[in-house]
């Protein structure tokens, strides 16, 4: 290829090494009684008595013609006519494959053994080669046997011995058998075939057949297999468990006062070890210069906070602005946020600048949806980004554990809305901004996996007399999704209908007080059908639709009491040193899917000591009835 070009010695050596690395040779057996292993196209043995063809699946035997080639068949024929010999391709390759198969099948003089796999290494099914069907057509009485990759329970000794032909495979099968005993699976020790215990004793004690004149070599091999068995069998009986931390260690990690957030408590309820890794050991993923969902969510939170704050400073609400004024306010408040996101990443390239425009458009469309909701509602923001805790405007939830440790629950509430009913009582609702879909699942509240909204409501109601100057009552817990929906219709919609449909895409999800007056304060236009603002619907007779997400006043109190109890018990368990690797499994949800500490905990359900906490799915009625009956054993675990 290089022709007459002169190259340096180092470059020549690298070229030569690259060529040698790609070279494939079929070696002739050094003795007549040994085995030759090769491929049909590169192996030309002489006298062959027994032939084993492995992996005769469709596409492998015969080989499927390569499609990604540099020269076409016509170009190859031209080059062949010019004296350039190339690997055959296309029709010629198919003819040569047929010849190779014929030559391979007719090589052995005593026995031909053909095998084909039922699946590939990833478990996808495979079809046998056409050669198999041709052999059956020629020899209808050919026997076929299925060779299982692992020995099945109850095999006769003669068949079981076929899995013990070599120490390497025997050790692998032995580990599987002993591992099944450790997991409590069949067969129990009393039923396990004695041959497996003989194999175990051989590896454990180094008892093997002696070879005359090779005692030293045999002893060395036995020691080698004994060491391999020791390492492998240690893994068979390994238990992946974490012991509780001591009281002194807990105080060193967390201090005398345990400062918690609702997200930290939810992390503990998801898996105690993840809370220990993130807040005890304070492990963090390496920061990467890219735009992820947390940064986008923070951007949306900050943008909406600045918009609502600007309106409050002017003594206005969203409904007091026109659509043009709303978009102008978005332009003024959001433009300054773009450079502050992830070290000006939105200004780093044209792609990110385009993404920045999309984020600003999303905030603008969301602001218009907030304006429409505000025009329908008597509930208006009374607090934004309300911090509670040591440095917040509201006091933290504090209590003392049995061991004397103090606990403080701090956080930040996105938005609190308030309104008065006809009797003058003041009602408040908690609104939380989300960049993805969210709803208040009472089953997750019951198991302590969703504590945020009810904890926020607890703080707001307990502090209402101080920061509002009067007692407040719960009106709802609602999630507002910040996004840019797209209507998919077969034909264009009239502008008003499109506007109405878009508003429904921003409908808040969560729970609302079972009170018709309060519901109409949240959506004054609701007379019949589903609300476009909150998850409530009215029937023709004025009663609530059964799909409405409603809670009675007493049910709010019951849930608040349960959340407070869960917070206390979880804080006590954290200070007691609970760091067990115990992720939950609820329906198709499990925290391991997105946990950054998987490489650290090495959780594996196949390992002893590792198992999910399977939580039964409960509907809302069952959750409320259980809480009304009182605590049950295992409610918070």
């Amino acid at each position: 290829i290089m022709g007459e070009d002169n190259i340096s010695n180092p470059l020549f050596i690298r070229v030569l090494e690259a060529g040698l690395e790609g070279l494939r040779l079929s070696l002739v057996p050094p003795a007549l009684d040994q085995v030759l292993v090769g491929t049909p196209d590169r192996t030309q043995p002489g006298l062959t008595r027994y032939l084993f063809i492995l992996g005769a699946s469709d596409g492998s035997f015969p080989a499927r013609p390569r499609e990604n080639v540099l020269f076409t068949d016509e170009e190859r024929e031209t080059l062949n006519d010019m004296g350039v010999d190339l690997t055959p391709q296309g029709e010629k390759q198919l003819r040569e494959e047929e010849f190779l198969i014929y030559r391979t099948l007719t090589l052995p003089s005593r026995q031909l053994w053909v095998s084909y796999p039922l699946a590939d290494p990833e478990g996808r099914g495979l079809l046998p080669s056409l050669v198999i069907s041709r052999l059956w057509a020629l020899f209808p009485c050919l026997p076929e046997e299925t060779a299982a990759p692992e020995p099945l329970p109850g095999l006769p000794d003669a068949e079981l011995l076929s899995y013990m032909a070599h120490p390497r495979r025997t050790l692998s099968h032995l580990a599987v058998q002993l591992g099944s005993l450790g997991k409590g699976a069949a067969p129990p020790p009393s039923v396990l075939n004695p041959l497996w215990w003989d194999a175990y004793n051989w590896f454990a004690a180094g008892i093997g057949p002696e070879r005359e004149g090779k005692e030293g070599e045999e002893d060395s091999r036995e020691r080698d297999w004994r060491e391999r068995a020791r390492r492998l069998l240690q893994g068979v009986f390994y238990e992946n468990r974490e012991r509780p931390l001591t009281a002194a260690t807990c105080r060193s990690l967390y201090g005398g006062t345990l400062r918690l957030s609702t997200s930290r408590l939810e992390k503990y309820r998801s898996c105690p070890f993840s809370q220990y890794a993130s807040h005890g050991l304070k492990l963090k993923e390496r920061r990467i210069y890219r735009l992820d969902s947390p940064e986008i969510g923070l951007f949306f939170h900050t943008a909406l906070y600045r918009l609502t704050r600007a309106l409050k400073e002017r003594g206005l609400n969203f409904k007091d602005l026109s659509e043009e004024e709303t978009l102008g306010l978005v332009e003024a408040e959001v433009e300054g946020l773009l450079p502050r996101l992830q070290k000006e990443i939105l200004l780093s390239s044209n792609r990110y600048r385009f993404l920045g425009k999309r984020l600003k458009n999303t905030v603008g469309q969301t602001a218009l949806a907030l304006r429409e909701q505000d025009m329908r509602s008597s509930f208006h923001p009374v607090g934004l980004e309300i911090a509670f805790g040591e440095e917040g405007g509201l006091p933290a939830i504090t209590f003392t554990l049995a061991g004397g440790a103090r606990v403080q629950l701090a956080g930040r509430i996105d938005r609190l809305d308030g309104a008065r009913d006809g009797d003058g009582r003041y009602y408040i609702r908690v609104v939380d901004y989300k960049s993805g879909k969210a709803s208040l699942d009472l089953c997750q509240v019951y198991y302590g996996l969703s504590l945020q909204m009810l904890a926020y409501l607890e703080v707001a109601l307990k502090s209402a007399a101080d920061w509002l100057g009067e007692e407040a009552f719960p009106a709802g817990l609602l999630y507002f999704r910040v996004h840019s929906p797209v209507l998919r219709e077969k034909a264009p919609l009239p502008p008003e209908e499109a506007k109405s449909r878009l508003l429904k895409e921003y409908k808040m999800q969560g729970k609302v007080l079972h009170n018709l007056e309060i519901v109409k304060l949240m959506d004054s236009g609701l007379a019949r059908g589903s609300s476009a603002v909150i998850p409530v619907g009215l029937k023709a007779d004025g009663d609530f639709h059964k799909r409405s997400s409603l809670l009675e006043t007493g049910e709010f109190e019951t849930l608040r009491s349960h959340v407070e109890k869960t917070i206390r018990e979880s804080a006590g368990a954290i200070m007691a040193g609970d760091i067990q690797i115990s992720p939950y499994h609820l329906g198709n949800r499990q925290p391991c899917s997105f946990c950054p500490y998987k490489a650290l905990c090495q959780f594996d359900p196949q390992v002893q000591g590792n198992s999910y906490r399977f939580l039964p799915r409960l509907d809302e009625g069952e959750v409320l009835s259980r809480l009304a009956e009182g605590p049950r054993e295992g409610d918070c675990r």
Side-chain angles (χ1 to χ4, degrees):
I1 293 175
M2 303 179 68
E4 300 297 328
D5 292 344
N6 293 323
I7 59 175
S8 62
N9 288 340
L11 179 57
F12 174 75
I13 291 174
R14 289 200 298 271
V15 172
L16 184 62
E17 288 177 345
L20 292 176
E21 287 178 358
L23 188 63
R24 293 192 303 166
L25 296 175
S26 295
L27 301 179
V28 177
L32 295 178
D33 59 347
Q34 294 193 8
V35 176
L36 173 63
V37 179
T39 59
D41 58 333
R42 290 181 170 270
T43 306
Q44 296 182 3
L47 181 62
T48 302
R49 295 183 178 181
Y50 301 92
L51 180 65
F52 296 84
I53 299 178
L54 307 179
S57 60
D58 186 28
S60 298
F61 190 74
R64 185 178 290 110
R66 296 186 298 271
E67 297 180 356
N68 298 327
V69 295
L70 181 62
F71 300 112
T72 64
D73 290 344
E74 292 77 9
E75 292 170 338
R76 288 172 178 273
E77 291 179 4
T78 302
L79 290 172
N80 287 332
D81 295 339
M82 297 171 59
V84 180
D85 189 17
L86 297 178
T87 303
Q89 189 68 23
E91 183 179 353
K92 184 177 179 182
Q93 184 183 1
L94 292 175
R95 292 197 301 267
E96 292 199 2
E97 281 290 327
E98 291 287 339
F99 171 72
L100 286 175
I101 292 174
Y102 173 77
R103 189 185 67 177
T104 303
L105 295 177
T106 56
L107 273 176
S109 59
R110 293 192 178 181
Q111 188 176 23
L112 173 65
W113 190 86
V114 185
S115 73
Y116 59 92
L118 298 177
D120 64 6
E122 284 74 32
R124 295 186 293 265
L126 294 176
L127 296 175
S129 169
L130 294 176
V131 174
I132 304 297
S133 59
R134 292 183 183 179
L135 288 176
W136 265 327
L138 293 172
F139 308 100
C141 297
L142 277 180
E144 182 185 35
E145 297 179 1
T146 301
E150 297 289 340
L152 301 176
L155 278 180
D157 290 356
E159 295 184 28
L160 186 58
L161 285 173
S162 64
Y163 292 92
M164 300 182 179
H166 190 276
R168 182 181 295 106
R169 295 300 301 162
T170 304
L171 183 58
S172 175
H173 295 316
L174 178 63
V176 174
Q177 296 293 321
L178 295 178
S180 65
L181 293 178
K183 295 290 289 184
S190 59
V191 182
L192 192 64
N193 194 302
L195 287 176
W196 291 118
W197 297 118
D198 293 340
Y200 175 82
N201 293 333
W202 188 90
F203 285 111
I207 302 175
E210 297 183 359
R211 295 185 180 179
E212 186 177 352
K214 296 185 178 181
E215 289 80 1
E217 179 183 356
E218 186 66 33
D219 290 343
S220 175
R221 291 182 179 179
E222 289 182 5
R223 286 195 300 270
D224 181 53
W225 285 114
R226 194 159 57 244
E227 177 61 22
R228 294 188 190 185
R230 183 187 66 81
R231 293 196 302 266
L232 183 61
L233 296 180
Q234 277 182 342
V236 170
F237 300 109
Y238 168 72
E239 292 188 1
N240 187 20
R241 299 180 186 271
E242 291 293 337
R243 297 179 180 178
L245 302 177
T246 63
T249 303
C250 288
R251 287 191 171 270
S252 300
L253 288 175
Y254 308 127
T257 300
L258 181 62
R259 293 175 173 82
L260 297 172
S261 63
T262 54
S263 60
R264 180 177 176 181
L265 286 169
E266 291 170 356
K267 184 181 287 291
Y268 170 78
R269 305 296 300 188
S270 298
C271 178
F273 186 85
S274 65
Q275 185 280 147
Y276 165 66
S278 61
H279 292 84
L281 300 180
K282 295 181 172 57
L283 303 180
K284 296 181 180 179
E285 292 184 283
R286 179 178 296 158
R287 293 281 302 217
I288 299 176
Y289 187 67
R290 64 185 180 191
L291 197 60
D292 289 334
S293 297
E295 284 81 11
I296 294 177
L298 179 61
F299 172 80
F300 287 148
H301 273 75
T302 307
L304 294 179
Y305 165 70
R306 293 181 59 147
L307 289 174
T308 312
R309 184 189 62 181
L311 290 173
K312 285 182 65 66
E313 290 174 351
R314 303 176 191 179
L316 302 174
N317 291 309
F318 274 107
K319 66 181 180 181
D320 299 321
L321 302 179
S322 64
E323 291 188 2
E324 291 76 13
E325 291 173 333
T326 302
L327 294 178
L329 182 63
V330 170
E331 182 73 23
E333 295 293 335
V334 175
E335 191 66 31
L337 286 178
L338 297 178
R340 296 167 55 184
L341 189 63
Q342 186 71 317
K343 298 181 180 180
E344 299 186 352
I345 190 173
L346 291 178
L347 305 179
S348 61
S349 67
N350 290 333
R351 173 179 176 271
Y352 277 117
R353 280 191 284 271
F354 172 74
L355 180 59
K357 292 181 179 179
R358 290 193 60 182
L359 293 179
K360 185 164 64 174
N361 292 337
T362 299
V363 175
Q365 193 167 342
T366 300
L368 293 178
L370 288 172
R371 174 180 174 274
E372 291 294 328
Q373 290 184 358
D374 199 27
M375 295 175 66
R376 293 168 175 253
S377 176
S378 298
F379 276 84
H380 302 297
V382 294
L384 302 168
E385 295 290 328
I386 307 169
F388 59 94
E390 289 185 344
E391 301 178 358
L394 300 181
I397 297 178
T398 60
F399 52 88
T400 303
L401 298 175
R406 284 178 50 81
V407 179
Q408 289 185 352
L409 181 67
R412 187 178 298 272
I413 306 172
D414 286 351
R415 196 179 98 196
L416 281 176
D417 296 347
R420 295 187 185 277
D421 67 357
D423 298 328
R425 288 180 297 185
Y426 200 73
Y427 286 84
I428 58 175
R429 67 182 187 184
V430 179
V431 179
D432 192 61
Y433 296 129
K434 293 293 184 182
S435 56
K437 292 183 178 181
S439 61
L440 189 63
D441 187 347
L442 296 190
C443 182
Q444 294 190 38
V445 173
Y446 180 75
Y447 292 120
L449 304 174
S450 178
L451 304 172
Q452 182 187 55
M453 297 292 276
L454 283 156
Y456 289 173
L457 181 65
E458 181 74 9
V459 171
L461 293 178
K462 282 189 174 182
S463 307
D466 295 328
W467 70 286
L468 290 176
E470 60 181 309
E471 183 184 9
F473 301 90
L477 304 167
L478 296 169
Y479 291 102
F480 179 87
R481 185 185 179 191
V482 184
H483 66 305
S484 181
V486 177
L487 299 180
R488 303 185 183 277
E489 300 292 335
K490 296 181 179 179
L493 297 176
E496 288 301 321
E497 184 177 351
K499 186 177 180 180
S500 175
R501 290 283 304 277
L502 279 175
L503 180 61
K504 290 183 179 180
E505 295 292 328
Y506 284 98
K507 178 193 290 190
M508 292 186 284
Q509 301 297 324
K511 297 296 178 184
V512 176
L513 181 66
H514 192 286
N515 184 308
L516 183 59
E517 182 182 2
I518 299 301
V519 166
K520 290 198 172 183
L521 286 175
M522 295 186 188
D523 186 358
S524 58
L526 179 60
R528 181 180 177 182
S530 297
S531 168
V533 179
I534 55 177
V536 172
L538 291 179
K539 295 187 291 188
D541 58 1
D543 196 6
F544 288 110
H545 198 279
K546 64 179 181 180
R547 289 194 298 269
S548 301
S549 297
L550 301 169
L551 287 176
E552 301 287 351
T553 301
E555 293 171 341
F556 271 107
E557 297 299 324
T558 300
L559 290 171
R560 287 170 53 196
S561 176
H562 174 71
V563 167
E564 184 178 359
K565 169 177 170 291
T566 303
I567 292 173
R568 289 178 177 272
E569 292 186 357
S570 301
I574 291 174
M575 289 304 292
D578 182 17
I579 60 170
Q580 60 180 314
I581 304 171
S582 179
Y584 76 91
H585 195 292
L586 177 61
N588 59 355
R589 294 172 57 93
Q590 55 211 19
C592 300
S593 303
F594 307 100
C595 181
Y597 309 110
K598 290 186 291 186
L600 178 63
C601 76
Q602 298 182 2
F603 175 81
D604 186 353
Q606 301 299 322
V607 175
Q608 292 189 65
N610 283 171
S611 60
Y612 287 107
R613 285 182 291 124
F614 286 94
L615 306 177
R617 182 72 195 178
L618 306 175
D619 59 34
E620 293 188 359
E622 191 171 1
V623 168
L624 294 172
S625 64
R626 285 193 178 195
L627 294 180
E629 293 172 2
R632 295 187 180 189
E633 183 180 355
D635 275 354
C636 293
R637 294 298 305 149

